[in-house]
Amino acid sequence: MEVTLYDDWIDNPKSELELILEQFPFKEGSPQPKLEDLPQYKHLAKFSVEEAASEVLGLVIKRYMLLRRTLSDEHKLRLDKILANQCSQPSSKPELNKNLQPFLSKEKIAAFHHINDAYSSIPLALASATGVKILLAGLYALYSGEHRYFKNKTKSRSEIAAEGGIARTRQYLATKQKACDLLNALTPQEGWNQELDAFKAIIEQVEKYLIDNKIKYPALSNIQRTLRTWIKDDPLVSACVMVRNQPPTDKETK
C-alpha cells in the first residue's frame, strides 16, 4: 500500500478503531480472550481485508508522525528515508538498529520498531486468508511498550478554532454589555416600534464607546452590521430589545 506522509496527519479526527483501542486496550499476560471476542477484531471483521488494512495503516502513520515530530528537521528526513527503505527493502533488526542509533534514543528506537512491526503486518495480511488476525497482531505490536511519544499534546484545528471562537466572544462581551446598558436606558416605556429603531437609538453611542476605549473587536468599520446582527440574533443583546406588540391587522382579526 502506498504511504503518503504529511505533518497535519496527527490533526485528523480519531477513527472508530482508534477510539476502540483506547477504550479496550490490549491486555498483557494471561488469560487472553479469544481473538474473535475482542472489540478490535469485531470492528475490523466488518470490512474487507483491504479496508481493514487501510484503517490499520492510518493508525501506523499517525503514530509514526507523532514520533517524528519529536525530532529535528534533519533527523526527520533521516527517519523518513529509513522508513521508505523498510517499505521497499526491509532490513534486519540489528541492521536497522545500526542505522537508527546515531540519532535516536533507545526508547525512540523501540517505538520505531513497534511502528515498523505494525506496518510489516499489513502486506502479510493482504496476502493471507487470516488477514484480520494478522492485522490484529500488528496493532498489538503498535500499542505495545512506551506510549509517551504517541500522546498528541498538540491541539487540532477544530480545537484551535473553538478556542478562537471563545476568545472572540470574550472580546465582544464588553461592547455587548454597553449595548445592553444603552438599550435598557433608552427603551421607550411601551417598547420600540421595530428593531431598527433600537439600532438607530444606540449606534452612535456604541461607535463612540469603541473609539473612546480604543476597542479593536468588534471592528469600528463593521460595527453597524455587527450591532444589527446582535439586536436580531444575539442571546444577550436581543433580550434587551423590547418591541411593542403591534395591533392585529384586519386579515388577522377575520
Side-chain angles (χ1 to χ4, degrees):
M1 301 181 75
E2 185 177 350
V3 177
T4 302
L5 302 177
Y6 55 91
D7 289 335
D8 288 348
W9 194 288
I10 58 177
D11 291 336
N12 287 345
K14 291 182 179 180
S15 66
E16 185 177 353
L17 177 59
E18 189 173 3
L19 293 172
I20 290 172
L21 286 162
E22 289 181 358
Q23 187 175 0
F24 303 99
F26 290 107
K27 296 180 180 179
E28 297 186 5
S30 58
Q32 290 286 348
K34 291 176 58 178
L35 287 181
E36 292 82 356
D37 293 334
L38 293 174
Q40 302 92 322
Y41 181 92
K42 292 179 180 179
H43 173 76
L44 292 175
K46 296 187 298 184
F47 306 107
S48 67
V49 67
E50 290 82 7
E51 292 170 331
S54 180
E55 286 224 357
V56 173
L57 179 62
L59 285 185
V60 173
I61 295 174
K62 189 171 187 177
R63 290 218 149 190
Y64 174 75
M65 296 306 291
L66 287 168
L67 173 64
R68 183 181 183 272
R69 72 173 182 182
T70 66
L71 307 177
S72 67
D73 289 343
E74 177 187 352
H75 291 166
K76 286 177 183 177
L77 295 176
R78 289 183 68 177
L79 193 63
D80 289 347
K81 186 175 181 180
I82 291 173
L83 178 65
N85 289 337
Q86 283 298 110
C87 294
S88 57
Q89 295 179 326
S91 302
S92 64
K93 190 169 184 177
E95 185 179 354
L96 185 56
N97 284 341
K98 184 178 179 180
N99 293 330
L100 295 171
Q101 284 169 352
F103 66 100
L104 291 187
S105 65
K106 289 183 179 180
E107 292 82 3
K108 290 181 180 179
I109 290 175
F112 183 83
H113 279 303
H114 291 310
I115 293 167
N116 185 55
D117 290 344
Y119 179 77
S120 300
S121 72
I122 294 175
L124 294 175
L126 291 172
S128 172
T130 58
V132 173
K133 291 183 178 180
I134 294 174
L135 290 173
L136 207 63
L139 286 175
Y140 183 85
L142 186 64
Y143 278 77
S144 298
E146 177 60 67
H147 286 210
R148 62 192 171 108
Y149 299 116
F150 304 133
K151 293 178 180 177
N152 188 2
K153 296 180 181 178
T154 60
K155 294 173 182 175
S156 68
R157 289 176 175 175
S158 59
E159 290 172 330
I160 293 172
E163 289 184 359
I166 293 171
R168 284 191 296 274
T169 299
R170 289 173 179 167
Q171 289 173 330
Y172 293 164
L173 189 57
T175 307
K176 288 183 179 182
Q177 187 60 57
K178 179 63 177 180
C180 288
D181 292 343
L182 291 169
L183 288 167
N184 290 333
L186 299 175
T187 298
Q189 186 174 359
E190 66 278 9
W192 304 101
N193 287 329
Q194 54 184 340
E195 291 175 346
L196 182 59
D197 293 334
F199 166 79
K200 290 178 178 179
I202 69 170
I203 181 58
E204 289 186 6
Q205 294 186 63
V206 171
E207 289 175 335
K208 184 177 184 299
Y209 172 78
L210 295 180
I211 295 170
D212 291 347
N213 292 277
K214 298 180 180 179
I215 293 175
K216 295 182 179 180
Y217 303 100
L220 180 62
S221 59
N222 291 329
I223 188 56
Q224 294 201 14
R225 179 186 300 174
T226 301
L227 184 59
R228 290 289 298 273
T229 301
W230 287 352
I231 286 174
K232 185 175 181 61
D233 297 320
D234 183 78
L236 182 64
V237 178
S238 65
C240 299
V241 180
M242 185 177 69
V243 178
R244 70 179 63 172
N245 292 327
Q246 299 293 335
T249 64
D250 292 340
K251 289 183 179 180
E252 291 173 334
T253 57
K254 290 181 180 180

